[in-house]
Amino acid sequence: MPLVARTRNVHSHNQMEHNKMNNWQYGSFFRRLILVAMVLFAAVGVRAEGETIDENFVIASVLLAEPGTAIYSNVGHVTIRLQCPDHNLDYIFSYESEAVSKRVLAFLAGNLKMGMFAIPTAEYLDSYRQEQRGVKEYVLNLPIEAKRNLWRVCDNHMLEGANLPYDYINRGCAYSTLRILQEGLDTIPIQFGPWPEKFKIKSRRELTGVYMQDFPWSWAFLYLICNGSINKSCSPVEKIIMPKDLIEVLSHAKVQGRPMLSSPTQLLPPGPERQKPWFTPTLLAAILLLLTILASIFGKKVMDYVLLALQTILGLITIYLVFFSDLVCTESSCLIVPFNVLPLLLWKWRRWWALPYAIAIALWIVVILLWPHSLTDTSFILLSLALIVSYVKIFIENKKK
């Protein structure tokens, strides 16, 4: 999400969904008590002594939703569905955050909150139906004891409330779903199949990029705000942060020798095919690079100031995220080398530092290109090349004087 969040966020719901979820989370106190009592009753599933408990007393499944247009829904969404037909209970359990679109500054500051929500499945599906996003269901082949315990675990997470710090990695839809499934299974292990090679050689950022190719603007934005820990090495399990990756892994996993997932059922039909935009951040950066080269050839200064403005804006965002924000994955950023506020502050003395800084940016590009994993978007590399051209031009002009 993810991201997130799930950000999701890596989360996949639009504002209408957030409003519905807020209604459930912050509804009347008595309604929540009734819901909790019903859930606990379903989870216990008490039967007469000696009577065999029906394995379908609780039905557990995983739902996979198609990508949406909002940045927090571009990779789709995955949730847990729990049903108790005997008591007419049918809920989706999912970590959701406050509406990012309404609180962008709070999101960048890391001040958004999130929590586990219990959403009536009919309402959940209706929101996706309105967005024309397909939804598949994969029934979980788990022992009844594990399914009852899974409901208890989900219920306990829901009762934690929606005041948890926003974290689109650890509470992103895919990773949190896997973690909750493991909690529900308790001492019963998930027998994972052979790990696909991509989980061994790719970073979490690169695995995310596989599903963001049709959303280049969202992807460039995530490269700007999401750095630090997302690039660190981690176990294959910790790399399961994409909804489709979770389904892929669980499809090859077993529990007590049985395949963990059944064949999917299409709950909502696939939505219309989404077209990748022709005007991308990479194209924009390439145009700026070309204009900078032409401006340098003809001795024009306009691109020097355009690039300075862009460098300062991106630098302010990067500095804020690294040094002041509590948002996850902002502990560091490689973009702080080409994009910072020092050129603006030292502009008066640019004749002295223009060439050394151009060389520093060039070395930075070399390191970025040689790094074994992807650290930044192509658009930022092209913008950095434009900065090099601009600062070399400034050096040459001042040397002639």
Side-chain angles (χ1 to χ4, degrees):
M1 173 63 162
L3 202 142
V4 157
R6 207 158 346 147
T7 291
R8 199 163 233 28
N9 103 22
V10 212
H11 293 307
S12 63
H13 298 304
N14 58 15
Q15 184 60 43
M16 180 184 298
E17 290 176 275
H18 282 292
N19 289 340
K20 288 181 179 179
M21 292 169 195
N22 286 341
N23 288 339
W24 275 91
Q25 183 66 26
Y26 300 110
S28 71
F29 176 73
F30 291 105
R31 184 174 64 185
R32 291 192 64 199
L33 281 181
I34 293 173
L35 171 61
V36 172
M38 293 173 68
V39 169
L40 289 176
F41 181 62
V44 173
V46 178
R47 297 298 175 93
E49 185 177 354
E51 183 180 350
T52 302
I53 298 179
D54 182 3
E55 286 291 323
N56 291 322
F57 178 66
V58 175
I59 302 173
S61 56
V62 174
L63 267 57
L64 176 67
E66 290 181 346
T69 56
I71 186 172
Y72 47 77
S73 67
N74 289 164
V75 297
H77 190 44
V78 65
T79 57
I80 294 174
R81 180 185 185 183
L82 293 173
Q83 305 174 67
C84 181
D86 285 13
H87 296 283
N88 198 29
L89 296 174
D90 189 356
Y91 289 95
I92 299 295
F93 288 88
S94 173
Y95 273 111
E96 302 294 335
S97 76
E98 298 176 83
V100 176
S101 59
K102 293 290 185 178
R103 304 190 61 197
V104 176
L105 294 180
F107 162 72
L108 293 176
N111 291 333
L112 289 188
K113 301 298 181 182
M114 67 187 308
M116 173 70 79
F117 289 79
I119 311 159
T121 299
E123 290 187 21
Y124 177 86
L125 292 177
D126 184 60
S127 62
Y128 282 98
R129 185 178 293 107
Q130 294 180 42
E131 288 188 69
Q132 294 184 302
R133 294 168 61 185
V135 177
K136 289 182 179 180
E137 180 177 33
Y138 298 80
V139 174
L140 290 160
N141 298 314
L142 305 179
I144 183 61
E145 295 81 5
K147 289 188 286 186
R148 291 188 300 176
N149 191 52
L150 177 62
W151 204 319
R152 181 190 63 79
V153 168
C154 289
D155 187 43
N156 287 340
H157 280 290
M158 183 192 71
L159 293 178
E160 291 176 351
N163 200 40
L164 303 173
Y166 176 75
D167 187 338
Y168 56 79
I169 295 293
N170 296 304
R171 295 192 186 93
C173 64
Y175 187 63
S176 65
T177 295
L178 176 59
R179 192 178 68 247
I180 289 171
L181 288 175
Q182 290 175 318
E183 285 186 55
L185 286 165
D186 196 15
T187 59
I188 304 174
I190 296 177
Q191 301 159 332
F192 293 104
W195 285 96
E197 191 65 21
K198 63 181 180 180
F199 288 101
K200 301 175 184 178
I201 64 176
K202 291 182 179 292
S203 67
R204 287 187 290 188
R205 178 192 291 284
E206 290 167 326
L207 289 169
T208 304
V210 172
Y211 303 102
M212 296 288 288
Q213 295 179 9
D214 292 336
F215 305 94
W217 289 98
S218 297
W219 188 223
F221 179 70
L222 288 178
Y223 263 114
L224 175 63
I225 68 167
C226 183
N227 293 281
S229 57
I230 197 171
N231 295 315
K232 293 181 178 179
S233 298
C234 58
S235 67
V237 170
E238 293 174 296
K239 292 181 180 180
I240 304 177
I241 60 174
M242 292 292 103
K244 288 186 177 180
D245 282 347
L246 175 64
I247 297 300
E248 179 182 356
V249 170
L250 294 185
S251 294
H252 295 89
K254 293 183 178 181
V255 172
Q256 295 184 337
R258 300 171 59 193
M260 192 167 181
L261 296 186
S262 298
S263 299
T265 300
Q266 194 79 44
L267 297 184
L268 292 179
E273 185 177 351
R274 303 186 188 278
Q275 299 295 324
K276 181 179 179 178
W278 66 270
F279 188 67
T280 65
T282 299
L283 177 58
L284 174 60
I287 291 173
L288 291 174
L289 174 58
L290 177 61
L291 291 176
T292 302
I293 294 173
L294 292 175
S296 299
I297 293 173
F298 294 102
K300 303 297 182 181
K301 296 184 177 182
V302 59
M303 290 306 299
D304 296 339
Y305 295 103
V306 170
L307 291 174
L308 178 64
L310 282 174
Q311 185 179 35
T312 302
I313 293 171
L314 294 175
L316 286 171
I317 295 173
T318 301
I319 291 171
Y320 174 76
L321 290 172
V322 172
F323 295 103
F324 301 101
S325 174
D326 292 323
L327 184 63
V328 65
C329 295
T330 58
E331 305 90 351
S332 62
S333 174
C334 65
L335 292 177
I336 204 167
V337 174
F339 304 110
N340 56 75
V341 298
L342 288 178
L344 176 64
L345 298 176
L346 303 175
W347 189 251
K348 181 178 179 180
W349 301 278
R350 59 190 179 277
R351 64 181 299 179
W352 305 107
W353 55 258
L355 183 60
Y357 189 38
I359 294 173
I361 296 177
L363 292 174
W364 175 83
I365 292 176
V366 171
V367 172
I368 290 296
L369 294 177
L370 293 179
W371 201 262
H373 298 289
S374 175
L375 293 178
T376 192
D377 187 57
T378 303
S379 59
F380 293 117
I381 295 177
L382 293 176
L383 278 178
S384 299
L385 286 172
L387 289 172
I388 292 174
V389 173
S390 176
Y391 287 133
V392 169
K393 173 182 119 1
I394 289 173
F395 169 76
I396 293 174
E397 287 178 343
N398 282 278
K399 186 177 181 181
K400 291 179 179 179
K401 294 179 181 179

